[in-house]
Amino acid sequence: MSNYLVAMEAAWLVRDVEDIDDAIGVAVSEAGKRLNDKDKEYVEVEVGVTGCPACGEPFDSAFIAADTALVGLLLEIDVFNADGEKHASRIAKSEVGGALRDVPLSVIDVVETEGDEEEAEA
C-alpha cells in the first residue's frame, strides 16, 4: 500500500461574466464551496494552465464567449494506502466526483509520495 498525490482537471462553466479574472474567481470559489459543503476541505483547488500553441508559454485555462466562461481547474488530493496508481485515481475521482456532480473530471497526473504513519493519520 502506497500514498499518492492525484491531480485532476475539471471543466467548470461560469455564466454571465465579462472578465477572465472574474470567471476564474467565481469558478475557484464555487468549486471550493461545493467541496467544503461535502467536508472535502483537503482538496486543493486552483486554476489550471494551458500552454500557448504558438510560443509554449503557460496561461490560465479560461475562455469566454457570449458572456459564458469555461474554466479549467486543477484539483489535487492526497490518497493514502492505495494498491497502485489506478486504484489511487479511482479513489480520487470518487471522492471529488461525489462532491462535484455533473462536473467533468479527468486525472492528469498521479505521483507516489513518501509518507509516514503520522501523515496518513492526519
Side-chain angles (χ1 to χ4, degrees):
M1 298 285 222
S2 298
N3 300 333
Y4 295 89
L5 176 64
V6 180
M8 293 175 286
E9 185 176 48
W12 200 274
L13 202 60
V14 181
R15 299 185 193 296
D16 299 322
V17 292
E18 296 176 4
D19 182 66
I20 289 285
D21 291 332
D22 290 342
I24 291 169
V26 168
V28 170
S29 176
E30 286 179 356
K33 183 179 183 320
R34 284 176 60 182
L35 287 162
N36 289 341
D37 287 347
K38 298 288 185 176
D39 296 324
K40 309 280 187 218
E41 297 89 7
Y42 48 86
V43 178
E44 295 290 325
V45 180
E46 55 190 60
V47 67
V49 293
T50 301
C52 173
C55 67
E57 288 293 316
F59 62 91
D60 291 338
S61 282
F63 177 77
I64 294 180
D67 294 334
T68 303
L70 178 63
V71 180
L73 295 178
L74 176 64
L75 309 170
E76 291 183 336
I77 181 173
D78 287 310
V79 176
F80 301 104
N81 299 321
D83 289 331
E85 289 185 9
K86 286 185 179 184
H87 186 223
S89 295
R90 286 194 307 272
I91 292 169
K93 283 185 84 169
S94 174
E95 284 286 309
V96 175
L100 302 180
R101 296 233 179 259
D102 301 323
V103 175
L105 290 175
S106 177
V107 174
I108 56 175
D109 196 18
V110 180
V111 177
E112 187 172 359
T113 59
E114 290 186 27
D116 55 28
E117 291 301 312
E118 293 177 66
E119 286 181 13
E121 294 173 359

